[in-house]
Amino acid sequence: MKRISLTMVRKDLLNIPKYRLPAGFRIRLFRKGDEHNWARIEASVDEFSNEDSALKHFNKEFGPHIDEMTKRCVFIENENGEEIGTATAWYGDLKGDGEISGRIHWVGIVPEYQGRKLSKPLLSAAMNLLGRHHSKAYLTSQTTSFQAVNMYLNYGFEPFITSHSCYEAWSLLKDTLNREILDKNG
């Protein structure tokens, strides 16, 4: 599938779906020193070429805000206490107009644990954290992450059209996911 970047918005943070983790797993907040766990997870899902580049990115983006990460980043731990998934309930200026919105950011589950019903509880935990600080949210993704995009649609996120390429992206996703995404006007 052609990789096209896309943005999605959720107009409110009410009625966030609830999902329980399977037995043996738990969600916990980020602790100082977890940047290495974050880097390992994000490198494992090919967001970065290796853990070193992931760690450099982490330090650039989140290093100055490490205290906020302890309130905004979650991990899933397996039965052995190993971190195997992460999501961040961050924030940003979606439209470039100075209005800050919540942002679901850097969601990842190591490949060996994908398909074990962990993504929905992880996303719910991150969205509940967002709801403590914000009234609406956005996220960025890409067409090649169509399974995640399908989950985001099920969580009430909608397409945010920023350019002509967005229509191509959502048309590809409509066909791949076999579901209506844009209404007749969009």
Side-chain angles (χ1 to χ4, degrees):
M1 174 182 288
K2 183 176 179 181
R3 181 185 168 108
I4 305 171
S5 296
L6 53 89
T7 302
M8 302 177 76
V9 295
R10 194 171 197 266
K11 296 173 183 160
D12 64 52
L13 289 169
L14 305 173
N15 303 311
I16 295 168
K18 295 178 176 130
Y19 290 93
R20 296 176 59 93
L21 279 169
F25 295 93
R26 74 179 193 106
I27 291 179
R28 70 161 177 87
L29 286 168
F30 179 96
R31 296 186 291 250
K32 291 178 184 175
D34 273 332
E35 51 270 27
H36 296 282
N37 293 318
W38 184 94
R40 178 180 46 76
I41 293 166
E42 293 299 338
S44 80
V45 295
D46 297 328
E47 290 291 342
F48 299 93
S49 58
N50 57 51
E51 287 184 39
D52 286 340
S53 61
L55 187 58
K56 284 178 187 166
H57 182 89
F58 179 95
N59 288 331
K60 180 180 175 188
E61 184 170 6
F62 299 119
H65 312 285
I66 205 78
D67 288 335
E68 278 191 79
M69 287 294 283
T70 64
K71 299 175 196 115
R72 291 179 169 269
C73 181
V74 291
F75 285 99
I76 294 180
E77 290 182 338
N78 66 14
E79 54 280 349
N80 299 319
E82 178 187 16
E83 297 77 10
I84 52 89
T86 187
T88 305
W90 207 238
Y91 53 89
D93 183 353
L94 171 64
K95 298 177 187 173
D97 61 3
E99 182 183 356
I100 301 300
S101 296
R103 180 179 187 185
I104 294 296
H105 203 27
W106 295 111
V107 178
I109 295 177
V110 297
E112 308 88 83
Y113 285 88
Q114 292 176 7
R116 295 196 189 182
K117 306 213 179 286
L118 301 171
S119 297
K120 290 176 183 176
L122 178 64
L123 182 58
S124 291
M127 289 182 67
N128 280 307
L129 286 177
L130 272 186
R132 295 179 187 172
H133 306 282
H134 307 280
S135 60
K136 56 188 171 182
Y138 75 100
L139 59 84
T140 58
S141 192
Q142 56 279 329
T143 51
T144 51
S145 297
F146 58 88
Q147 291 168 313
V149 170
N150 195 48
M151 179 177 67
Y152 300 143
L153 288 166
N154 291 338
Y155 267 74
F157 282 90
E158 300 173 352
F160 183 70
I161 305 300
T162 58
S163 67
H164 184 70
S165 68
C166 294
Y167 293 105
E168 180 183 4
W170 291 109
S171 178
L172 279 170
L173 289 166
K174 174 188 173 191
D175 294 341
T176 301
L177 300 174
N178 194 29
R179 70 184 282 181
E180 288 298 323
I181 298 173
L182 294 174
D183 63 25
K184 304 258 189 266
N185 301 321

